[in-house]
Amino acid sequence: MSASRRAAPVGNGDAGDSVTAAVLETVRQTYLDLHHHAPHAAIGPATTLDRDLEFDSLARVELVLRLERSFAVRMPDAVLESAETCGDLVRLLRSAGPTRVPAPPTAAAAPEAEAALAIPESAQTLTEALDWHAQRHPERLHLRHVVDPLETGDGEPLTYGALQARARRLAAGIQALGLGGGRSVALMLPTGLDYFAAYFGVLLAGCVPVPIYPPFRASQVEEHVRRHAGILDNAQAVLMITVPQARSVAQLLSARLRTLRQVRTVAELEATTSSWTPIRIAPGDTAFIQYTSGSTGSPKGVVLSHANLLANVRAFRGAVRIDAGDVLVSWLPLYHDMGLIGTWLTSLYYGVRLIVMAPTAFLARPERWLWAIHRYGGTHTVAPNFAYELCLRRIDDAQIHGLDLRRLRVAANGSEQVLPDTLERFAQHFAPYGFDARALLPVYGLAECSVGLLVPSIGRMARIDRVDREAFATQGRAQPAAAGDPHPLRFASCGVPLAGHEARVVDAAGQPVGERVEGRLEFRGPSATAGYHRNPELTRALFHGDWLDSGDRAYVADSEFYVTGRIKDVIIRSGRNLYPDEIEEAVGEVPGIRRGCVAAFGISDPGLGTERLLVLAETREADAQARERLQAAAVAAVVARLGEPPDELLLVPPKAVLKTSSGKLRRAATRDRYLAGRLGEAPRGVARQLLRLAAAAALPWLRNALRRTLETAYAAYAWSVLAVAAVPAWVLVAMAPTPARAWAIARTAARTVLRCAGVVLNVVGAERLPGPGRACVLVVNHASYLDGLVLLAALPGSYRFVAKRELLRSSVARVFLQRLGTLFVERFAVRQSVDDTQRLAAEVAAGESLIVFPEGTFTAAVALRPFHLGAFAVAAQTGAAVVPIAIRGTRALLPAGRWSPRRGSVSVTVLDALAVPQDPVFAAAVALRDQAHAQILAHCGEPEAGPA
């Protein structure tokens, strides 16, 4: 329902004081200027900005600017996010500081000559790249998080050493939760130092980061939860790291998802007392999953490996000439690939400084982006086309008096369709401030190629191609337009593929087309993804042989690529290809239409055998006659651009045209809403949204609550089974006349406990165990206190455990283990450990077979730790065979630090015996250790712990 038909409610707040009255009057006047009609009821403190007044982000910016001018104050950026009602504005206004006109910050001086840029060329993973920098220059500034470049102070610095130290603490906290092994961890964090530490903390813990954006305002909570539930379900995220303020949203998500069991803040994870267990990370391991959709259809989680990312980052150096002393400036969100890879990871790899701001800081005051470039000597920056447009529309010359952009060499424009008009107007407008038009760089990339694919040569003017509209629309030929053509199509060149990458344009049959022929853009190269996470159908559609489908259309002219639009967005009407971007641009220029809030798409018409062109244009105009004139002007704009009118053009209220969190049009979702008859639905209040979410989450919550109740009941039952069996088993073992008899009793008790507890035990390869009278050394991975119980149940015959001497302090454990024939060794005193090795060798020489956990201990971290040499030295001295045994599943049932067992299955795999090499004892021991470790690693289902 539009505002013209809905009364804005009068709130219960006190509107009698002068401040409140003045604020309400400013709100009312802003509303009148935007809507051109008066509200049907008075605006009061409880009137909501979203639901009652339909103020979007830009309207909020305008309102804040008016309030600041009226009251001579500077309001905090939080007003754009947190203010829900007029009363909130009053409260925030009263806490605002006085207006001051800061002097332009001193521009950074050009750096003195520096040594050649040293980069971690040998690094095969992101974590190795961080380690390389942290080891060589831990105090070197990596980045600076800036709130406002016009404010005093230089923001929060982060060095390479500090980033590594914080990441390791966070990794320890994640591992203490029993997580690892490639499990997905959601990062719902705003831009800040916590984000950078959390990302690497997840990697160092052996998990996979899944960046998602935090909720912007409470009024968007339902949309936020709905969009992200599908993403997190597809990712199978087990942990969410977020800020305290977002806990409620995180809990709503957790209630809907079976896998998401933990929600933690960065501070909570850093407070762990556990130590970090290094995990060996391979180049092919997943570095993060980038989701490109979520609310409609199947979520598309692009899987990107360390090798993919490093290949893309390395290819960019030659394309944009990153050198020592360069400074990257960015406000891009870190939950999008262009911000995460294109700015942060690129700056981290090359060791150049990054100046980073929050997206909301830019949206609130776009001039901050330019002032940050000025203040910190920015040489490189990147942003979507809309950001350059926002600077043109929202920045007054008075706000940038004294601005100096002369050091800026690269201002990349990407992530959405690059509009030639934007490039030209931006270059012209900011030329007086030292901006060099040759810095503008139209680029093209996509998450499926680790963000970067096409880049033009730098140091030249952007190439704009003028194409004959009729030939392009009807034949798909990019024929150059005549010099006097008043309405050509214009496209910006995105250049050529990055080094080591390839791109081509193909027809519907997948065959390459010639120059200046439009077709589907395909690519391949080392940055290309292996596919979509847990979505084989979409992955199959992505690949055409060894080429990947970009989903975009393009043509090649003079060996350079011109991207023309998304395949799914092209409208085919009566044999002509129509491109929504230029239609939307034309309609958006009509006064009264909200620029950037126009959507053009095709609607299939079986009766006509073609598509109908539908245009939705947002406006706040309510007067009937004014709307008729506005609609006629919008139709005329389409005719002027295309030569023909749309089949239908609808004027719709604000927020009817849907957008992503980054401001991109969601044409398909808007089209679906139109077809469902739900355009212009009034936004629901926060309370109503929460009620709907609570109702939707009721069944999952009950299911999860039942699951937790059953888990608790099972844990109590399992311990009861163990307690009932333990007492008679201990007594019988203590009375057993021989270790062999004690083993038989313990085996029966262990099998009974596992069977009664519902634990499925699978033993594979028991026939590989040496027969009676053949001494051997069994080496087993250690993941849980359950390992000993499992081995008792799984192994036939009797063996002698090798256990730590500390267990002798417990009389209960001592008697039980001694009757089983256990040998106790010293773990910490070197001289005693050597003596113990000789004692064990003597036992094996005498015909005894040993069971050794060569890791020495276990932790909550999901990883196979390095093996100690002791057991292998015993085998090398005695010539006894080494038999590797891999246990899988016990850590999931009962990890370190948790005493609530879970039901599940366990497998015990006896591997091929290893014969002692004919080498000196030490060399033979090392060879046996490495062979056993490799075999167990391949069967235990856990990653390898890396070097500390």
Side-chain angles (χ1 to χ4, degrees):
M1 181 184 292
S2 69
S4 62
R5 288 174 288 174
R6 184 181 62 247
V10 177
N12 296 323
D14 179 13
D17 67 89
S18 59
V19 173
T20 301
V23 169
L24 297 180
E25 175 57 26
T26 303
V27 173
R28 188 185 73 84
Q29 189 58 53
T30 305
Y31 181 90
L32 290 175
D33 292 343
L34 293 172
H35 294 268
H36 306 295
H37 65 86
H40 288 185
I43 295 175
T47 303
T48 61
L49 302 178
D50 281 349
R51 187 175 66 255
D52 299 321
L53 302 178
E54 295 178 346
F55 279 12
D56 62 7
S57 296
L58 293 180
R60 284 168 174 257
V61 170
E62 177 64 27
L63 176 59
V64 169
L65 291 175
R66 293 187 181 194
L67 290 171
E68 289 181 337
R69 286 196 294 266
S70 297
F71 291 88
V73 297
R74 186 176 178 85
M75 298 182 71
D77 291 349
V79 70
L80 296 178
E81 304 177 36
S82 60
E84 298 289 346
T85 66
C86 295
D88 293 337
L89 291 174
V90 175
R91 187 184 70 257
L92 290 167
L93 187 68
R94 284 177 168 149
S95 64
T99 294
R100 61 181 184 83
V101 181
T106 302
E112 298 179 0
E114 298 187 22
L117 182 62
I119 58 176
E121 294 178 340
S122 61
Q124 295 185 299
T125 65
L126 295 176
T127 51
E128 288 181 13
L130 174 59
D131 290 344
W132 189 93
H133 285 292
Q135 290 167 8
R136 284 160 179 77
H137 36 244
E139 299 305 317
R140 183 173 181 172
L141 180 65
H142 166 39
L143 61 83
R144 194 178 296 280
H145 176 228
V146 176
V147 175
D148 189 338
L150 286 171
E151 297 289 340
T152 58
D154 284 328
E156 300 175 287
L158 183 66
T159 65
Y160 286 96
L163 174 58
Q164 183 192 62
R166 287 199 65 191
R168 288 181 173 183
R169 287 199 300 273
L170 278 160
I174 295 170
Q175 289 177 338
L177 299 176
L179 302 181
R183 307 295 293 277
S184 297
V185 174
L187 297 179
M188 192 169 74
L189 294 166
T191 297
L193 300 192
D194 283 354
Y195 192 104
F196 305 109
Y199 179 87
F200 269 101
V202 172
L203 288 180
L204 291 174
C207 295
V208 176
V210 179
I212 61 175
Y213 64 90
F216 188 63
R217 289 194 294 271
S219 59
Q220 300 172 326
V221 63
E222 185 174 15
E223 170 73 2
H224 184 89
V225 170
R226 185 175 61 84
R227 285 179 63 83
H228 284 90
I231 289 174
L232 296 178
D233 180 60
N234 178 262
Q236 297 287 281
V238 294
L239 167 68
M240 177 182 288
I241 304 176
T242 189
V243 292
Q245 301 91 318
R247 268 191 179 278
S248 58
V249 174
Q251 296 296 348
L252 286 170
L253 283 166
S254 180
R256 300 166 70 102
L257 302 168
R258 179 178 178 83
T259 60
L260 187 58
R261 296 184 174 216
Q262 312 261 17
V263 175
R264 295 289 189 276
T265 65
V266 169
E268 289 170 344
L269 292 171
E270 284 188 299
T272 182
T273 58
S274 302
S275 58
W276 167 60
T277 299
I279 303 296
R280 192 170 297 279
I281 300 172
D285 290 346
T286 303
F288 80 105
I289 304 174
Q290 175 68 60
Y291 278 88
T292 60
S293 66
S295 62
T296 59
S298 300
K300 293 169 61 177
V302 181
V303 177
L304 297 174
S305 70
H306 291 264
N308 292 150
L309 298 181
L310 288 178
N312 205 261
V313 167
R314 284 166 172 152
F316 256 111
R317 184 183 184 185
V320 298
R321 300 178 193 170
I322 298 175
D323 298 308
D326 280 342
V327 178
L328 277 66
V329 177
S330 176
W331 53 265
L332 294 173
L334 294 167
Y335 44 80
H336 283 164
D337 46 24
M338 192 160 74
L340 182 63
I341 308 170
T343 58
W344 176 40
L345 295 180
T346 297
S347 71
L348 181 137
Y349 178 81
Y350 289 110
V352 299
R353 281 177 294 162
L354 173 65
I355 306 302
V356 64
M357 297 186 298
T360 50
F362 164 74
L363 293 173
R365 305 183 195 279
E367 67 272 15
R368 287 172 172 163
W369 179 28
L370 306 184
W371 278 121
I373 295 170
H374 165 107
R375 178 171 183 173
Y376 298 101
T379 59
H380 293 66
T381 193
V382 59
N385 194 85
F386 91 87
Y388 294 93
E389 278 289 343
L390 196 61
C391 288
L392 291 168
R393 298 201 310 269
R394 303 297 306 179
I395 300 176
D396 296 329
D397 288 341
Q399 295 172 302
I400 51 174
H401 176 70
L403 180 69
D404 184 355
L405 299 176
R406 286 177 295 176
R407 286 199 62 200
L408 187 62
R409 300 200 319 271
V410 173
N413 182 331
S415 181
E416 61 185 9
Q417 191 73 21
V418 178
L419 300 181
D421 183 58
T422 302
L423 299 176
E424 294 169 349
R425 289 188 297 111
F426 189 91
Q428 180 181 5
H429 185 83
F430 290 99
Y433 302 96
F435 181 76
D436 188 340
R438 293 173 297 180
L440 282 170
L441 204 68
V443 297
Y444 171 81
L446 63 167
E448 287 82 351
C449 193
S450 303
V451 85
L453 178 59
L454 304 174
V455 179
S457 299
I458 66 172
R460 74 175 197 194
M461 299 294 290
R463 289 186 178 177
I464 307 300
D465 196 25
R466 300 172 71 253
V467 173
D468 181 88
R469 179 181 299 278
E470 185 65 22
F472 195 75
T474 58
Q475 304 171 37
R477 303 190 64 84
Q479 176 180 316
D485 189 337
H487 300 298
L489 283 169
R490 300 205 306 159
F491 300 106
S493 168
C494 292
V496 298
L498 292 172
H501 296 72
E502 297 177 82
R504 68 177 186 176
V505 178
V506 300
D507 59 20
Q511 297 302 310
V513 299
E515 282 223 343
R516 291 195 170 275
V517 176
E518 189 196 31
R520 189 176 70 244
L521 178 64
E522 295 185 337
F523 67 94
R524 64 185 178 186
S527 299
T529 179
Y532 298 113
H533 185 63
R534 298 181 64 241
N535 203 324
E537 182 178 350
L538 284 178
T539 298
R540 284 192 296 271
L542 175 66
F543 284 88
H544 299 155
D546 60 347
W547 291 88
L548 285 79
D549 186 355
S550 71
D552 285 301
R553 297 179 69 82
Y555 67 90
V556 177
D558 297 327
S559 300
E560 297 198 10
F561 286 79
Y562 292 80
V563 180
T564 58
R566 298 293 294 170
I567 292 173
K568 66 180 181 181
D569 291 335
V570 173
I571 304 158
I572 305 175
R573 185 173 72 162
S574 301
R576 299 186 67 199
N577 287 356
L578 306 179
Y579 296 84
D581 295 282
E582 65 161 350
I583 299 171
E584 292 157 357
E585 182 185 21
V587 174
E589 291 173 352
V590 175
I593 299 296
R594 301 184 68 221
R595 189 180 181 93
C597 299
V598 180
F601 46 83
I603 300 292
S604 178
D605 190 331
L608 297 175
T610 187
E611 286 188 318
R612 298 170 60 246
L613 171 59
L614 177 65
V615 181
L616 302 181
E618 288 188 7
T619 181
R620 295 187 176 91
E621 183 60 68
D623 180 76
Q625 292 183 346
R627 286 175 68 90
E628 288 182 10
R629 291 192 296 269
L630 188 59
Q631 184 161 15
V635 170
V638 177
V639 173
R641 187 66 64 94
L642 301 181
E644 56 187 59
D647 293 288
E648 188 173 5
L649 189 147
L650 298 177
L651 300 181
V652 294
K655 300 187 179 180
V657 175
L658 304 178
K659 295 184 178 182
T660 68
S661 59
S662 58
K664 294 182 183 178
L665 289 175
R666 296 170 57 199
R667 295 190 185 96
T670 302
R671 175 182 177 276
D672 292 342
R673 181 169 284 194
Y674 165 80
L675 293 175
R678 295 171 50 222
L679 275 181
E681 282 185 344
R684 301 183 182 93
V686 176
R688 185 180 174 189
Q689 291 185 50
L690 292 174
L691 283 174
R692 285 172 57 89
L693 287 172
L699 184 57
W701 183 88
L702 289 172
R703 189 164 51 240
N704 289 338
L706 178 61
R707 172 179 53 79
R708 289 191 294 269
T709 300
L710 292 175
E711 287 177 350
T712 301
Y714 171 78
Y717 168 74
W719 283 116
S720 299
V721 168
L722 181 62
V724 169
V727 174
W730 186 91
V731 171
L732 292 173
V733 167
M735 296 172 59
T738 64
R741 183 58 182 162
W743 259 85
I745 296 169
R747 181 185 304 111
T748 300
R751 290 176 175 176
T752 301
V753 168
L754 294 178
R755 189 180 302 112
C756 292
V759 175
V760 178
L761 176 62
N762 298 304
V763 181
V764 178
E767 69 279 1
R768 298 190 180 103
L769 290 168
R774 296 178 58 191
C776 62
V777 179
L778 309 184
V779 290
V780 191
N781 60 300
H782 202 11
S784 169
Y785 284 117
L786 294 177
D787 293 338
L789 182 71
V790 167
L791 289 175
L792 283 170
L795 298 178
S798 62
Y799 302 86
R800 302 191 72 175
F801 280 112
V802 177
K804 58 186 179 182
R805 193 176 298 276
E806 295 96 294
L807 291 174
L808 291 172
R809 299 171 188 166
S810 168
S811 58
V812 174
R814 182 179 68 249
V815 171
F816 185 82
L817 292 174
Q818 284 178 335
R819 298 307 298 167
L820 291 175
T822 301
L823 300 169
F824 298 92
V825 296
E826 177 59 55
R827 293 194 298 167
F828 304 111
V830 177
R831 180 69 260 176
Q832 183 62 49
S833 295
V834 173
D835 293 342
D836 286 338
T837 300
Q838 299 305 317
R839 182 164 56 90
L840 295 178
E843 294 287 347
V844 173
E848 298 289 345
S849 292
L850 309 181
I851 296 178
V852 183
F853 296 111
E855 292 170 275
T857 187
F858 68 91
T859 63
V862 180
L864 181 66
R865 299 165 66 90
F867 286 178
H868 297 294
L869 272 176
F872 306 99
V874 168
Q877 289 180 40
T878 61
V882 172
V883 181
I885 297 180
I887 298 180
R888 184 169 185 162
T890 54
R891 199 189 306 268
L893 267 60
L894 188 66
R898 197 184 73 219
W899 294 100
S900 178
R902 293 174 181 163
R903 186 174 180 176
S905 62
V906 175
S907 66
V908 176
T909 304
V910 181
L911 302 165
D912 290 329
L914 305 176
V916 178
Q918 297 300 313
D919 294 322
V921 171
F922 182 78
V926 171
L928 288 169
R929 180 199 63 186
D930 293 345
Q931 292 178 57
H933 192 277
Q935 287 202 31
I936 292 176
L937 180 66
H939 291 83
C940 70
E942 297 191 353
E944 181 181 6

